[in-house]
Amino acid sequence: AARAALAGALPGCPAGRAHCLAVQLHVTAIAGAPIATAAWLAVQLAAADRHFAPLSIGFEVIGVDALPPEADHITGRADRDAIADGRLGGAELHVFIVGQLDDIDDVGSVIRGVTWHLPGDGRKYVLVSTVAPERTLAHELGHVFGLPHSDYPISIMNKAERASPPPAERTFADEELAVMRPA
């Protein structure tokens, strides 16, 4: 019931978008309750919709399923692989919501999101931590669409600490939009 209520509280694809992409959410549940609120998920989805608007791409959650409590803390490659094992089906985008996501390249550090794929499987999926700021899902979807990290000051794909432009003004650079533009 909590998953259905969560899915029902999320916005659909924005009107007028030429491309509406289906998203399957996989949300860690502890004691039967999802660790992410509908409000937090809606903020992530709204930011993704805003950043992908120049491409006329929108996102719509088609389902929410529960991950076991042990998925709350993803520590390494094996955890990243295990979380998706048996869950990647269809053409939808798979987004996994966890409480903590450890950086596998810098032991002791945590990250907010990552784009990953199972060994031998070309399908990409996204993991996002509940501590992630609003643009994290959009950033990770940029990776799904083929973007690397960048040096463009305006870009949400640029991970460098910087004061200008302020985070609220950052989005995809025109060059990145050109790479992702649907054919």
Side-chain angles (χ1 to χ4, degrees):
R3 289 188 316 249
L6 188 61
L10 298 174
C13 190
R17 298 288 169 98
H19 310 279
C20 189
L21 303 180
V23 174
Q24 174 66 44
L25 288 176
H26 308 273
V27 181
T28 304
I30 297 178
I35 63 167
T37 65
W40 183 88
L41 290 163
V43 165
Q44 289 287 331
L45 289 162
D49 284 333
R50 184 174 63 254
H51 291 295
F52 280 86
L55 300 171
S56 197
I57 293 173
F59 302 94
E60 181 170 22
V61 173
I62 60 164
V64 178
D65 72 359
L67 296 171
E70 55 270 15
D72 189 48
H73 185 185
I74 303 300
T75 61
R77 293 177 190 278
D79 285 351
R80 291 180 184 187
D81 294 346
I83 200 169
D85 193 26
R87 289 186 172 88
L88 301 181
E92 62 269 15
L93 298 165
H94 291 269
V95 176
F96 295 82
I97 307 300
V98 301
Q100 182 174 327
L101 185 56
D102 290 0
D103 187 337
I104 61 173
D105 297 320
D106 185 7
V107 177
S109 296
V110 296
I111 57 177
R112 297 170 178 154
V114 68
T115 300
W116 199 250
H117 62 86
L118 292 172
D121 188 330
R123 292 178 294 174
K124 296 177 183 177
Y125 56 95
V126 171
L127 292 94
V128 177
S129 167
T130 55
V131 299
E134 74 169 26
R135 65 188 171 276
T136 301
L137 177 60
H139 171 98
E140 295 307 330
L141 290 170
H143 288 312
V144 170
F145 281 82
L147 295 180
H149 289 133
S150 76
D151 297 356
Y152 302 112
I154 192 73
S155 181
I156 63 172
M157 300 307 290
N158 183 338
K159 291 181 13 175
E161 291 291 327
R162 59 202 186 280
S164 181
E169 295 176 16
R170 297 176 193 166
T171 191
F172 293 117
D174 290 340
E175 296 86 348
E176 294 167 328
L177 291 169
V179 168
M180 295 188 296
R181 193 163 311 284

